[in-house]
Amino acid sequence: MQVPVDLGLQAKPKGPDTLIDVRDMRIYYATTAGEAKVVDGVDLRIYRDEIFGVAGESGCGKSTFVEGLLRLIKLPGYIKSGTAQFFPKNVEGKEPDEPIDLLKISQQDMRKLRWKHIAYVPQGAMNALNPVMRIDDQIVDAIHAHVNMSRKDAIELMLKQLNMVGLPPYVANQYPHELSGGMKQRVTIASSISLSPDVLMADEPTTALDVNIQRIILQELKEIRERLGLTIVYVSHDMAVHAELADRMGIMYAGSVVEVGTTIDIFKRPLHPYTQGLIKSIPKIGGPRERLVGIPGLAPSPLAWPSGCKFHPRCSKAMDICRQVAPRLGVVEEGRQVACHLYETQPKVESENSERTLSEIKLHV
Amino acid sequence: MTWLRNCWNTSLRFRMGVILLIAFIVLAAIGPLIYGPLLRGEQFDINPAAPGNFKRWQTFSATHPLGTDGDGRDLLGAYLLGMATSLRIGLLSGFVATLIGTMVGFAAGYFGGPTDTGLTMLANILLIIPAYPILVVLVLYTPRITPEMMALILAAFSWPFAARTIRAQVLGLKERPYVDLARISGVSSLGIIVTELVPNLLPYLLVSLAFSTLGAMAAEVGLALIGLGPSNGISLGLLIFFSRGVFSLGRYDVLLIPPLILIAIFTAITLINLGMEEYLNPRLQNVTGR
Amino acid sequence: MQKYKRFLFYVLRKVATYLFTIWAAFTITFFLFRSLPGDPVSAWAGALQQRYAVNMAGGSEMVEAYRKQFGLDKSISEQYFSWMYNAIVHQKLGPSFVNFPRPVEELLAERIPWTVGLLSVSILLAWVIGLLLGALAGWLRNSWISSLLTNYAVVISQVPPYLVAVMLVLWLGYSWRILPTQGAWDAQYTKGFNLPFILSVLKHAILPSVSIILVSVAGWILSTRSLIVNILGEDYLIYAEAKGLPTSQLLLRYGLRNALLPQTTGLALSLGFIMSGQLLIETLFLYPGLGELLARAIGAFDFNTIMGCVMLSIVTVMTASLIIDLLLPLIDPRVRAVVS
């Protein structure tokens, strides 16, 4: 795609064809200091063929949320409650529109869904490849775990995927340490979608890479989506990345989702005070020098979330009710959800941040 | 010292090991207070472990709660004294070995270059010399050997292990920014070592100490099993040595108690080591503290 | 080409270190022994005198004659060089005391098969069992199986094998009398390649090898467990799991395989330390191996034999680690990258 600035943002979220419907998902960690409620009631709907960005400060539970959908949570962490209905295309032994509850199915069934229907690129994708195995062996074994295919065909398929992200065929014969960070990243992403999964979950795949490579990889992800029609759930703390990539976004704070909307809406008119803070803390290029405003206070600990609205101790607009009653995520307008007491009575408040234009934000991506 | 408290809090194994080891040390230290009053009524109230002081093969009685052995030792007293000697040899040797090892490891890791090459080479050479035959010959040739001398001889062969660990840690720590910061702000080498490096190395020093102590205690038993022990003394190894040939007499307690005490002490130290490892490497913890 | 040059340089450096270390270790040992008061023959004569109250008044000429035969009348540096010369050029280690006048190299050659047979099989078996159990303990690290294995390993791992041997001898050998506790075969069979003899050898090997296995397994369990637990936290394992690989593949190809490299190094090193570690086991079971020979040699102040055993031990340890150093770049792609 030629000009990055407006891509994705202008693409309207396609139809209400739900792919994953998460309700009240909770993932707790049993620690010596008590129960850490890392994911504490997430409600989210992800549509087919969209790029959905999950944003939030580190420690807000966004990675755990994705790991939970893949059932990769290890003890002492466990899934406390919730449902995550998944509507994949043609899964063997299943009716077309019959949902699968990702949080309830057996590990054995989950194993069959992984990579073939739900692909995952972990945080630190740089180290996702086994250092003592050749690239081809690591990809072919995954293909063989899901489809019956000769080794020759599997290699063929892998080479096609590598070619798609511009990697030469000889990469297949190499060991991970012989590749650069960006190359390893691309190998991971390209091979993850070799069986055309319904959804790719990418957890900050571009951290630890320099900005140029990040940019190229994001471009490649978008191209792949345009060509193959793939749903991508993209987790990142970096709002600029979301501005570039995502169709819709969910903002997470303290283990739950506080705001959902199209990326354009969220950047133009953030509703939740936390979202407003996030956007205000993005530095902008050009215009008068301005002091960057961060969000005051520290992120709370999952061992003891604040009462009521978990954001109230850091919120400049906190009211009495915020300290006592936790706001629920509710529809404010078409395609827009927010969990904040400010909007139950006056849902269409004008944001103070609206004068900031999108191009200002995007320039320094 | 916060890391010690953290270690204590994170690891059940560490707590168990420390409690067990302290119990043994206390028991060994107050030994005379336990067997002394019991034996005082007898004709000899001096050394319960000297052979021929009491009637042989007595069974359990108020004076001799664990009976006596074939050489007429009061067994309770002998076990307590033997424990004290073994622990003394082990801990002293462990301390000395860790001290030498730390200094060598520090010098090698901190100064690098030819110092490092030379010291590492020396440690490697000592590591491959089979220590046991040399220990035996040295002990054989040393007249009137005391537990302290044995400890020193044992330490002479075990310090390279400590040196190796410490060197690796120093090499890692040296790269940390705060060491550079200290260097830039004009703190001397020694100052940096004392203020910045030592506190970070303490857990590793403790691991080395535990390993050297274990090694020395095991080596003492190895020497004792061929009859070489501190002269005029008793140790757990010697008790095992003396108890051979009791097979047919049915006094299994005489055979089993000394090795079991040893195994219990070894277990305590291994537990401490494992606990430290769990603390230093959070992935080994069953339940994370944070 | 540059790549091969660097590898060649690496090999040369390793071989040079190998030779130097052997030489240095040997030299230190030689002078350490010789710096002790008295020389072996006089010490031996003294010990004889003390032990058996032999009247040595007329024996001083005999002692002199023996001193000459063992080359002890020469200066220490002359002795050093002639020992080195004979050992390296002629592979001759001099006459022994314990089996006078048989040469030491003959005694060693006679005993090597027993030690290698008993210990290498035990150590290998222990390694395989320990690796599998350790992997299990790491994989199921929150289960009762894991805590059982770990706790067993904690209690046993640091216990010297001879203590276990003493207890085994006690229970199985003496109380139940089901297994032989001494020697390597029953005297009534002729030594050679026949079934009764081989069975007898195997039967005699059970107790010593079980005592070695019980203890060394524990060490391998602990180290493999912590390796596997570390690997389980690695990104590549999480990704492998996200690929939907079956559990068996995950454990074997990604878990155990990555733990195998360090553990193979450890195995080679422990094979090298065969002699020093298990000396007491052989003594306890009167097993006709190197350890038992060394124990007798020490008891008799048999300098040549002690030096021979020590030398052999040093060379095995160093050779084992040299082989690892040379093989590692071939096995582990990461090491290869550093080397070439």
Side-chain angles (χ1 to χ4, degrees):
Chain A
M1 302 280 104
Q2 5 31 351
V3 193
V5 172
D6 287 325
L7 268 180
L9 284 167
Q10 282 169 354
K12 277 263 183 295
K14 289 166 193 161
D17 184 3
T18 304
L19 182 64
I20 303 177
D21 187 8
V22 183
R23 300 241 173 115
D24 196 36
M25 176 177 179
R26 287 167 200 273
I27 298 173
Y28 290 4
Y29 277 77
T31 75
T32 44
E35 229 165 16
K37 300 173 179 175
V38 177
V39 171
D40 196 23
V42 166
D43 294 289
L44 209 55
R45 194 171 282 184
I46 292 157
Y47 300 126
R48 192 178 290 283
D49 292 342
E50 70 175 349
I51 297 184
F52 188 89
V54 180
E57 293 168 302
S58 49
C60 72
K62 54 191 193 301
S63 294
T64 312
F65 162 65
V66 171
E67 282 166 18
L69 288 179
L70 274 127
R71 296 285 289 282
L72 292 170
I73 304 292
K74 296 274 148 45
L75 282 172
Y78 63 98
I79 294 171
K80 173 88 177 171
S81 63
T83 58
Q85 309 282 12
F86 179 44
F87 301 86
K89 292 174 279 188
N90 29 2
V91 170
E92 271 173 64
K94 186 188 86 69
E95 295 295 313
D97 279 327
E98 182 192 336
I100 298 174
D101 188 343
L102 293 177
L103 304 186
K104 303 245 163 50
I105 58 170
S106 70
Q107 276 290 346
Q108 201 47 46
D109 290 338
M110 188 69 218
R111 186 184 76 68
K112 290 180 192 145
L113 286 182
R114 288 178 187 145
W115 173 278
K116 193 174 179 192
H117 296 280
I118 311 179
Y120 174 62
V121 177
Q123 204 166 15
M126 302 254 292
N127 307 317
L129 298 166
N130 188 342
V132 301
M133 281 170 80
R134 286 181 204 279
I135 304 293
D136 50 4
D137 291 331
Q138 304 194 40
I139 312 247
V140 170
D141 68 356
I143 296 177
H144 277 159
H146 298 285
V147 285
N148 242 333
M149 195 186 261
S150 72
R151 186 179 161 87
K152 201 169 149 269
D153 291 348
I155 298 247
E156 196 90 334
L157 173 59
M158 173 189 68
L159 291 179
K160 202 187 94 204
Q161 294 298 121
L162 292 184
N163 184 44
M164 185 175 71
V165 289
L167 289 173
Y170 70 82
V171 166
N173 274 321
Q174 290 189 305
Y175 286 98
H177 67 79
E178 292 169 306
L179 307 178
S180 71
M183 284 163 100
K184 280 188 271 194
Q185 208 85 289
R186 277 187 253 173
V187 168
T188 316
I189 293 173
S191 60
S192 293
I193 52 177
S194 44
L195 295 182
S196 325
D198 294 85
V199 56
L200 170 69
M201 311 244 180
D203 186 359
E204 310 227 16
T206 56
T207 38
L209 286 184
D210 68 73
V211 185
N212 264 328
I213 308 280
Q214 267 193 37
R215 189 81 187 247
I216 293 170
I217 288 178
L218 294 182
Q219 273 309 303
E220 281 165 357
L221 264 180
K222 258 159 70 176
E223 281 180 34
I224 290 166
R225 200 277 299 257
E226 298 293 318
R227 234 180 318 149
L228 305 177
L230 170 73
T231 314
I232 299 176
V233 175
Y234 197 98
V235 177
S236 177
H237 66 279
D238 191 343
M239 290 299 279
V241 169
H242 289 301
E244 169 129 354
L245 194 65
D247 301 322
R248 290 200 310 136
M249 299 183 62
I251 313 289
M252 278 186 76
Y253 183 78
S256 37
V257 175
V258 293
E259 183 164 2
V260 180
T262 64
T263 309
I264 292 188
D265 283 348
I266 289 208
F267 275 91
K268 274 204 164 150
R269 207 162 45 86
L271 297 181
H272 197 284
Y274 175 64
T275 316
Q276 292 168 0
L278 271 186
I279 288 172
K280 246 189 276 178
S281 59
I282 305 175
K284 56 176 180 177
I285 295 176
R289 272 166 163 260
E290 236 174 65
R291 215 184 143 77
L292 268 185
V293 192
I295 302 167
L298 288 173
S301 154
L303 285 167
W305 296 130
S307 63
C309 172
K310 291 171 198 150
F311 188 60
H312 84 254
R314 300 169 73 183
C315 183
S316 56
K317 296 166 186 163
M319 307 172 287
D320 278 344
I321 186 174
C322 300
R323 291 177 190 98
Q324 286 137 29
V325 184
R328 301 207 46 173
L329 191 66
V331 178
V332 180
E333 56 191 73
E334 176 70 32
R336 202 80 201 277
Q337 289 162 282
V338 71
C340 181
H341 290 302
L342 286 175
Y343 298 101
E344 273 168 350
T345 46
Q346 36 175 145
K348 288 201 173 181
V349 80
E350 206 61 35
S351 160
E352 56 188 58
N353 198 52
S354 55
E355 72 274 12
R356 283 178 65 125
T357 65
L358 258 174
S359 56
E360 275 177 330
I361 296 161
K362 300 182 59 53
L363 268 171
H364 55 269
V365 169
Chain B
M1 286 292 133
T2 36
W3 64 271
L4 255 185
R5 198 177 318 127
N6 288 340
C7 202
W8 176 270
N9 288 334
T10 9
S11 173
L12 173 71
R13 292 206 166 93
F14 185 79
R15 288 196 291 275
M16 281 166 51
V18 168
I19 291 172
L20 203 58
L21 186 64
I22 289 180
F24 277 114
I25 293 176
V26 167
L27 215 55
I30 63 164
L33 300 179
I34 300 173
Y35 63 76
L38 295 174
L39 299 181
R40 205 132 293 162
E42 296 263 336
Q43 194 177 353
F44 310 93
D45 58 358
I46 6 136
N47 186 355
N53 274 353
F54 308 103
K55 222 175 97 215
R56 300 166 54 205
W57 292 128
Q58 292 181 55
T59 44
F60 322 116
S61 65
T63 326
H64 306 292
L66 295 177
T68 60
D69 72 358
D71 295 321
R73 293 182 187 86
D74 169 58
L75 282 172
L76 176 69
Y79 294 153
L80 289 169
L81 272 181
M83 223 159 77
T85 312
S86 290
L87 280 170
R88 197 155 77 229
I89 293 178
L91 288 172
L92 180 64
S93 174
F95 270 113
V96 174
T98 309
L99 194 71
I100 302 176
T102 307
M103 292 195 299
V104 172
F106 246 121
Y110 190 80
F111 297 109
T115 321
D116 184 18
T117 317
L119 290 175
T120 309
M121 187 69 106
L122 179 68
N124 282 343
I125 292 168
L126 278 181
L127 278 175
I128 60 154
I129 296 179
Y132 186 74
I134 303 200
L135 285 176
V136 173
V137 173
L138 284 179
V139 173
L140 264 174
Y141 268 99
T142 315
R144 307 223 152 274
I145 189 154
T146 61
E148 284 72 22
M149 283 155 79
M150 278 189 75
L152 292 183
I153 294 179
L154 291 172
F157 283 90
S158 59
W159 64 262
F161 291 100
R164 202 181 247 194
T165 323
I166 298 302
R167 173 181 171 272
Q169 290 305 324
V170 172
L171 281 181
L173 286 173
K174 215 169 69 168
E175 305 306 319
R176 300 275 177 85
Y178 56 75
V179 174
D180 282 337
L181 191 68
R183 197 176 292 135
I184 295 165
S185 31
V187 183
S188 69
S189 295
L190 195 68
I192 293 176
I193 289 177
V194 172
T195 56
E196 308 290 341
L197 294 182
V198 170
N200 287 293
L201 281 175
L202 277 174
Y204 297 93
L205 287 179
L206 201 61
V207 171
S208 288
L209 175 65
F211 268 120
S212 326
T213 306
L214 266 176
M217 288 184 67
E220 185 273 318
V221 182
L223 290 173
L225 282 192
I226 56 169
L228 297 172
S231 356
N232 306 325
I234 195 78
S235 70
L236 288 174
L238 280 176
L239 280 166
I240 296 172
F241 175 66
F242 293 143
S243 72
R244 82 209 182 290
V246 192
F247 294 115
S248 47
L249 287 164
R251 280 293 295 270
Y252 292 115
D253 58 309
V254 179
L255 276 168
L256 287 179
I257 292 178
L260 287 181
I261 298 178
L262 259 178
I263 292 176
I265 297 177
F266 288 164
T267 306
I269 299 177
T270 315
L271 281 171
I272 295 179
N273 252 342
L274 212 67
M276 307 266 310
E277 200 191 333
E278 277 171 16
Y279 167 72
L280 294 171
N281 182 355
R283 280 178 188 170
L284 288 172
Q285 295 163 12
N286 277 341
V287 173
T288 41
R290 278 159 282 263
Chain C
M1 217 51 240
Q2 188 63 28
K3 216 168 162 179
Y4 291 108
K5 238 182 191 162
R6 280 185 64 188
F7 187 68
L8 193 70
F9 182 70
Y10 170 82
V11 172
L12 282 179
R13 209 183 58 217
K14 286 292 168 193
V15 172
T17 319
Y18 168 77
L19 292 174
F20 175 78
T21 315
I22 289 182
W23 168 78
F26 167 70
T27 307
I28 292 176
T29 325
F30 186 96
F31 285 103
L32 190 72
F33 278 138
R34 286 302 160 95
S35 64
L36 293 169
D39 65 66
V41 174
S42 327
W44 190 37
L48 275 179
Q49 203 169 13
Q50 217 178 20
R51 230 178 277 173
Y52 306 107
V54 183
N55 183 359
M56 296 296 280
S60 61
E61 276 163 41
M62 191 189 76
V63 170
E64 274 316 302
Y66 275 120
R67 280 174 59 94
K68 211 169 189 141
Q69 183 162 2
F70 284 90
L72 297 171
D73 51 341
K74 290 181 227 148
S75 77
I76 193 158
S77 56
E78 266 178 302
Q79 288 177 38
Y80 171 71
F81 285 117
S82 75
W83 203 101
M84 288 286 275
Y85 178 79
N86 283 327
I88 295 168
V89 180
H90 303 295
Q91 289 84 47
K92 283 193 162 47
L93 304 174
S96 63
F97 276 16
V98 277
N99 282 36
F100 187 75
R102 294 187 62 197
V104 170
E105 63 272 12
E106 225 178 275
L107 289 181
L108 293 180
E110 202 173 278
R111 281 159 179 266
I112 285 175
W114 291 107
T115 294
V116 171
L118 174 70
L119 293 171
S120 56
V121 171
S122 317
I123 290 177
L124 269 175
L125 267 176
W127 185 76
V128 172
I129 301 172
L131 214 65
L132 293 176
L133 292 181
L136 197 68
W139 186 258
L140 305 168
R141 71 175 178 286
N142 289 304
S143 71
W144 63 271
I145 301 179
S146 175
S147 41
L148 184 78
L149 286 169
T150 311
N151 290 334
Y152 163 77
V154 167
V155 174
I156 298 297
S157 65
Q158 296 298 331
V159 174
Y162 45 82
L163 268 187
V164 178
V166 167
M167 299 174 107
L168 280 181
V169 166
L170 189 73
W171 288 329
L172 300 175
Y174 283 79
S175 308
W176 300 350
R177 293 181 187 281
I178 42 174
L179 284 170
T181 57
Q182 284 192 350
W185 72 90
D186 284 318
Q188 72 251 38
Y189 304 114
T190 34
K191 239 167 127 177
F193 196 75
N194 57 70
L195 190 65
F197 176 71
I198 293 172
L199 282 180
S200 167
V201 166
L202 288 179
K203 214 167 122 184
H204 279 82
I206 292 178
L207 278 187
S209 68
V210 165
S211 25
I212 296 168
I213 291 174
L214 280 179
V215 173
S216 3
V217 157
W220 293 120
I221 289 179
L222 284 186
S223 57
T224 313
R225 171 179 161 270
S226 75
L227 270 172
I228 292 280
V229 168
N230 272 323
I231 290 172
L232 288 185
E234 294 288 343
D235 288 326
Y236 61 79
L237 211 109
I238 296 170
Y239 184 57
E241 199 181 348
K243 288 198 292 193
L245 296 182
T247 313
S248 58
Q249 251 189 59
L250 219 54
L251 181 55
L252 294 176
R253 291 186 60 147
Y254 288 77
L256 208 52
R257 182 187 170 138
N258 287 56
L260 215 54
L261 283 167
Q263 293 302 65
T264 313
T265 312
L267 172 69
L269 287 181
S270 72
L271 280 175
F273 277 101
I274 254 182
M275 296 239 334
S276 45
Q278 327 294 359
L279 180 142
L280 275 163
I281 291 268
E282 288 189 2
T283 315
L284 188 81
F285 290 100
L286 294 178
Y287 205 83
L290 291 163
E292 200 265 348
L293 175 70
L294 179 55
R296 283 206 294 141
I298 292 171
F301 295 97
D302 183 347
F303 176 77
N304 282 345
T305 311
I306 298 178
M307 274 319 288
C309 289
V310 169
M311 194 67 200
L312 192 65
S313 166
I314 291 174
V315 173
T316 14
V317 175
M318 281 311 291
T319 311
S321 73
L322 178 69
I323 291 174
I324 297 166
D325 280 343
L326 295 186
L327 279 184
L328 218 50
L330 303 179
I331 311 171
D332 190 337
R334 287 166 295 183
V335 179
R336 189 158 59 233
V338 178
V339 170
S340 59

